[in-house]
Amino acid sequence: MKTLQATFLLFVFVPLMKSAPPIQQESLRFYEHDTDVAMGSLIQQDYEMQPEDIRKEGTNVSLDTSLRLQGDDSERNVAPTKDTNLPTCLLCVCLSGSVYCEEIDIEAVPPLPKETAYLYARFNKIKRIAVSDFADIPTLRRIDFSGNRIEEIEDGAFSKLLLLEELSLAENRLLKLPALPPKLTTFNANQNRIKSRGIKANAFKKLTNLAYLYLGHNALESVPLNLPESLRILHLQYNNITTITDDTFCKSNNTRYIRTQMDEIRMEGNPILLAKHVNAFSCLRTLPVGTYY
């Protein structure tokens, strides 16, 4: 009887146990699903945070960079020094045989690098030019001292510059002209205080390459003598020229002589009346600019 009861219980409860829902498995699946969500949210949060962090770091970099750039700009905007004790190529600009020393308030010609060919020292405070300034620089071809305060030039200061072709001493305080080198083609001494006695009689005679001579705005009483045949442009405007002769430009003993190279003579601003000296221009192809009546 007991055996029958046990068998009956097995037939009744076993089907019920098989049909019961798998609670434990579902609970495991729930926790796995929740873990996936949590991990996903964490990953998503981490993914979303990364660009923001990167942007913050990028902002910091750009700020640091901009600060450095601003610092560089401030360094570039520092006013240049005018320490005349600096080496020439720090005080001036040296470039391919050219030396630029313009508007730096120097009071003397600086030591020049060897093989300097072009010197530009305009608008400074130079008062004197010495023989030693160019004694070791025979390669010079052009010198510009315009706009200085030059009153004195030592004898022979330019005599060793056998290659010099262009020399400007304009806008200075010269009373007389220095001896000029033989290959000069252009000489500018406009706006000085030069009088006729400050120019030697043969100052230009041997300058057979001289083509441009500028002596305007000085105190000349007469036209310089022995002007070379090579001369093309002569500026004598605004002086104190009161006299001129038949031999000033022409040759009174040769009526067939023609000065073929001369293209322009300016004599306006002088007290001379050019119409009274017609024979003085007979050899010229064009009449000088100036007052005739």
Side-chain angles (χ1 to χ4, degrees):
M1 192 65 180
K2 291 181 180 179
T3 304
L4 290 173
Q5 289 178 349
T7 303
F8 177 77
L9 291 172
L10 286 173
F11 280 105
V12 171
F13 289 106
V14 167
L16 292 174
M17 292 175 65
K18 288 182 180 180
S19 61
I23 297 172
Q24 189 174 1
Q25 291 181 359
E26 286 186 288
S27 63
L28 289 172
R29 287 177 188 171
F30 171 78
Y31 288 117
E32 288 176 0
H33 176 73
D34 183 65
T35 304
D36 291 340
V37 171
M39 290 297 293
S41 63
L42 289 174
I43 293 170
Q44 184 176 3
Q45 289 176 3
D46 183 66
Y47 178 79
E48 291 175 354
M49 287 295 289
Q50 283 181 358
E52 191 172 352
D53 291 340
I54 291 172
R55 283 195 297 272
K56 288 181 180 179
E57 291 176 2
T59 304
N60 292 335
V61 171
S62 63
L63 285 173
D64 293 341
T65 304
S66 63
L67 288 173
R68 285 197 297 270
L69 290 174
Q70 290 177 3
D72 293 342
D73 291 338
S74 63
E75 290 177 3
R76 286 196 296 268
N77 292 330
V78 174
T81 180
K82 291 188 177 180
D83 185 359
T84 55
N85 293 321
L86 290 171
T88 300
C89 288
L90 291 179
L91 183 67
C92 308
V93 176
C94 301
L95 181 64
S96 301
S98 299
V99 179
Y100 299 88
C101 300
E102 300 180 332
E103 299 184 85
I104 56 173
D105 294 341
I106 53 176
E107 297 182 359
V109 179
L112 298 176
K114 290 184 178 180
E115 300 183 359
T116 298
Y118 305 96
L119 171 61
Y120 302 92
R122 299 181 295 182
F123 310 113
N124 285 292
K125 298 178 181 179
I126 299 172
K127 296 181 179 180
R128 186 173 181 270
I129 297 176
V131 174
S132 59
D133 290 336
F134 308 116
D136 300 322
I137 316 292
T139 54
L140 280 164
R141 294 179 178 274
R142 180 186 300 160
I143 298 175
D144 192 345
F145 283 122
S146 301
N148 278 275
R149 303 174 183 178
I150 301 172
E151 298 177 349
E152 180 185 0
I153 299 177
E154 285 187 1
D155 292 336
F158 303 114
S159 61
K160 293 184 179 181
L161 304 180
L162 301 181
L163 299 179
L164 192 65
E165 297 177 352
E166 299 179 31
L167 175 60
S168 179
L169 301 171
E171 300 179 52
N172 280 283
R173 302 173 182 178
L174 293 173
L175 298 175
K176 62 179 183 179
L177 292 184
L180 301 173
K183 290 190 177 181
L184 209 62
T185 62
T186 302
F187 178 60
N188 188 347
N190 280 338
Q191 298 186 29
N192 277 276
R193 303 171 183 176
I194 303 168
K195 293 186 177 183
S196 292
R197 65 174 178 268
I199 301 178
K200 295 181 179 179
N202 295 323
F204 305 110
K205 185 176 183 178
K206 296 181 180 180
L207 304 183
T208 55
N209 294 324
L210 187 64
Y212 306 94
L213 178 57
Y214 304 101
L215 296 171
H217 297 270
N218 278 283
L220 301 176
E221 297 90 4
S222 61
V223 179
L225 301 174
N226 299 313
L227 297 174
E229 295 290 332
S230 58
L231 205 59
R232 294 181 57 190
I233 305 293
L234 175 62
H235 285 188
L236 298 168
Q237 71 275 19
Y238 296 99
N239 277 278
N240 193 32
I241 297 174
T242 57
T243 182
I244 193 171
T245 69
D246 293 350
D247 292 314
T248 300
F249 302 113
C250 304
K251 297 179 180 179
S252 58
N253 58 354
N254 185 356
T255 56
R256 296 184 178 181
Y257 169 74
I258 297 176
R259 189 180 277 272
T260 57
Q261 298 294 326
M262 188 71 78
D263 292 328
E264 178 182 283
I265 300 175
R266 289 184 58 182
M267 296 188 66
E268 74 271 20
N270 285 280
I272 188 172
L273 291 177
L274 299 180
K276 294 182 178 180
H277 306 276
V278 177
N279 293 333
F281 315 127
S282 61
C283 66
L284 301 178
R285 295 186 302 173
T286 59
L287 292 174
V289 176
T291 303
Y292 284 84
Y293 300 101

